[in-house]
Structures are given as structure tokens and as C-alpha cells.
Amino acid sequence: MRALIFPGQGSQTVGMGKDFFDAYAPAKQVFQEVDDTLSPLYGKALSSIIFDGPDDVLTQTLYTQAALMTTSMAMLKVIEAEKGQSVSDFASYAAGHSLGEYTALCAAGVLSLSDTAKLLYHRGKAMTECTPKDGGAMAAIMGLDFDDVWELTEDSGSYVANDNGGGQIVISGTKEAIEKAIQIATDKGAKRAIPLAVSAPFHCPLMKDAATVMAKEIAQVTFSEPKIPVVTNVTGEAVSDSETLKQGLIDQICGQVRWRESVLFMERVGISKTLEIGPGKVLTNLVKRISPNIQTANIAKTEDISTAFGE
């Protein structure tokens, strides 16, 4: 069985998806629909930022989230067209890391492309605007097990944000709490404890105002039953109920991304291969470290399609 996985913030790169746009009509249609949806909100075409940058604009949370989703969905629509199959024909599950869960829901038919784009615009805007006065911070802790990191977050007043597996755990909180946590992690023997270049402390209670905003936005959108189950960030397990999926998007704003648990769940239910759709190989590399028995492939360029499906 195959699972589709979709990347989160950090995988973006200027020019991503341009080869799909240039070569395939289904990709053009995705970029055009998102441009039509979001141009009145951005005041410009998102595709121009994706293809031409500049990088310091694309990396702004306000743009990054919708940009990554759009690129992944453009690639997915090309795959469907080239194979002459729908997602449910070549995948048994879908999952995404943080904003990638929105892409997974769009891929699974839970959300329309236009609604997904609008929700990610509001998500990026809300997460940017609710940043605490000191800006907040995040850090990656490598070489400690989960229990040790959980203990140091309690001692420092920080929070576990992403359990990425493979010895990598991301923490979130105020700048003071993260500085303290980095020192504790170093004292505990962490291989590395480094601050991340982010604009806000994502996936922790400091984002509660953003969760309130998103609850209102999500309530206005139609959620359909998924064509394939979606493994959600907050549960680390598959969900097939649209109402539960809806609540999961609200909860993940402040909640932990349980990526390690998600991959282990996929292994338990018999997933033999993951296919990462989108720029980079971040999730592919994490899967390899968490579950070496699962085969991996990624599609970031047009030439990757035939290789990824073993053709």
C-alpha cells in the first residue's frame, strides 16, 4: 500500500513547480485557480511569488503556506492526469506535516482547492498576527529521546511542537524559555540544540489566538468525507470522519505535530511506500529514519513521476 505525504513550511524554494506549470495544463489550472482565489487578498498573484520570489517574500508565513499547498496540488493533478487515475486508485492514505495536512485534505477530496487556499491564507495571517510581544522562538533538539525533551520543556516553560522522529524534536515557546531549554538540552548531552529561523512559536499554546481565528474560518467551509483516510497531526492515526478532520485543523494550531507516531501508524497498517509530493525531501528523509522498512520516493520535478512509480 502507498501513502501520499505533503511537506510543511521550510520546504519552499523559489521556482518550485514551474516545470509542471510550463509542461502540463492540469498544473496551470491549479496555479490559476489559486491566483484567482487569493489575488484579491494578496493584491498580487501568488504564482508570481512562487516562481520569481524574492525568497524573503516567499518565506513569509503569509505566503509560504498557500504556496506550498498550491505547488503540491499542481504536481498531484499532473500525476492523476498522467496515470489516468484518481488519488484513491494509487494511494491508501494521505498525511501532511503541519500545513501539509491541509494539502492532504485537499488531495483526499475533503476540501476544495479554493477553500484550502483561503484557509491557508487566513492561517498564515493569523499565525503571523498573534505572535507574542517578544516574537517567540523555536529550536530543534537532536540526539535526545522524547521523554528527555518533554522533561526539559517542563523545566524551561517551553513546549514540544514537532515530534519529527529520527532523534529530531522541535520545541516552541517564548524566547526566554527557548534559550533556557537549549541550555538544558546541551547539559543533557543533546547532539545539537539550535534555534530555528522562524517568525513565530508555532504549534504551542502561544498560538491560541490564531486557533480562535481559524475556528471561525473553518466553520464557514464545507468539509466532505475523505476519499482516502487522512493521518492527522494531532492524533498520529487515520481519520475518516469529516467533523473530526475539521476539529483536527483547529487543534493542530496549538497542538503537537505527531509525525513520528504518524509514520509508525502507517507502518502498522501495512503501508509499504510513501510518496512525498512537493519540493524537497524533508519528509522522505524523516520516514527513512523512523521506519527503514518503508520504501520512499518523492516528486519534486516532472522527471520524478516515472521514477517514483517504478515505471
Side-chain angles (χ1 to χ4, degrees), residues 1 5 36 41 90 96 141 145 166 232 263 289:
M1 291 196 297
I5 56 177
D36 291 344
L41 298 172
F90 59 82
I141 310 298
D145 63 28
T232 71
V263 174
R289 293 203 291 266

Side-chain angles (χ1 to χ4, degrees), residues 9 13 23 28 36 69 73 88 91 126 135 148 163 211 236 261 266:
Q9 208 156 329
T13 181
K28 282 189 176 72
D36 291 344
M69 182 280 298
M73 285 305 301
S88 58
D148 283 337
D163 179 8
E261 294 174 53
M266 288 188 273

Side-chain angles (χ1 to χ4, degrees), residues 10-205:
S11 291
Q12 71 278 353
T13 181
V14 172
M16 59 186 182
K18 184 65 162 56
D19 54 341
F20 285 84
F21 177 89
D22 289 339
Y24 295 101
K28 282 189 176 72
Q29 291 168 5
V30 170
F31 283 107
Q32 186 60 58
E33 183 175 342
V34 173
D35 280 346
D36 291 344
T37 299
L38 296 186
S39 288
L41 298 172
Y42 285 132
K44 63 182 81 174
L46 181 62
S47 61
S48 68
I49 298 173
I50 295 172
F51 299 150
D52 303 320
D55 185 69
D56 62 350
V57 174
L58 180 61
T59 55
Q60 292 176 24
T61 299
L62 180 63
Y63 300 104
T64 308
Q65 300 194 19
L68 277 166
M69 182 280 298
T70 303
T71 303
S72 290
M73 285 305 301
M75 293 174 179
L76 179 61
K77 291 302 178 184
V78 170
I79 295 168
E80 288 183 302
E82 287 296 286
K83 292 186 68 62
Q85 297 178 321
S86 64
V87 164
S88 58
D89 294 321
F90 59 82
S92 300
Y93 292 87
H97 193 285
S98 192
L99 80 89
E101 186 169 310
Y102 284 75
T103 316
L105 292 175
C106 187
V110 177
L111 292 169
S112 69
L113 178 63
S114 177
D115 283 342
T116 309
K118 284 185 284 190
L119 286 177
L120 284 173
Y121 165 81
H122 289 297
R123 186 178 189 263
K125 184 171 183 286
M127 292 173 101
T128 301
E129 292 178 347
C130 86
T131 302
K133 291 181 180 179
D134 79 341
M138 299 180 76
I141 310 298
M142 285 158 276
L144 294 180
D145 63 28
F146 184 83
D147 289 341
D148 283 337
V149 176
W150 186 269
E151 183 178 304
L152 73 83
T153 60
E154 292 186 323
D155 292 341
S156 63
S158 58
Y159 308 90
V160 173
N162 304 339
D163 179 8
N164 286 332
Q168 182 195 102
I169 299 171
V170 176
I171 61 174
S172 194
T174 64
K175 287 184 178 178
E176 181 181 359
I178 294 302
E179 288 171 1
K180 185 176 180 181
I182 287 174
Q183 184 58 57
I184 296 172
T186 302
D187 293 342
K188 281 180 173 286
K191 291 180 180 178
R192 297 182 74 191
I194 54 175
L196 300 179
V198 295
S199 57
F202 302 132
H203 297 292
C204 81

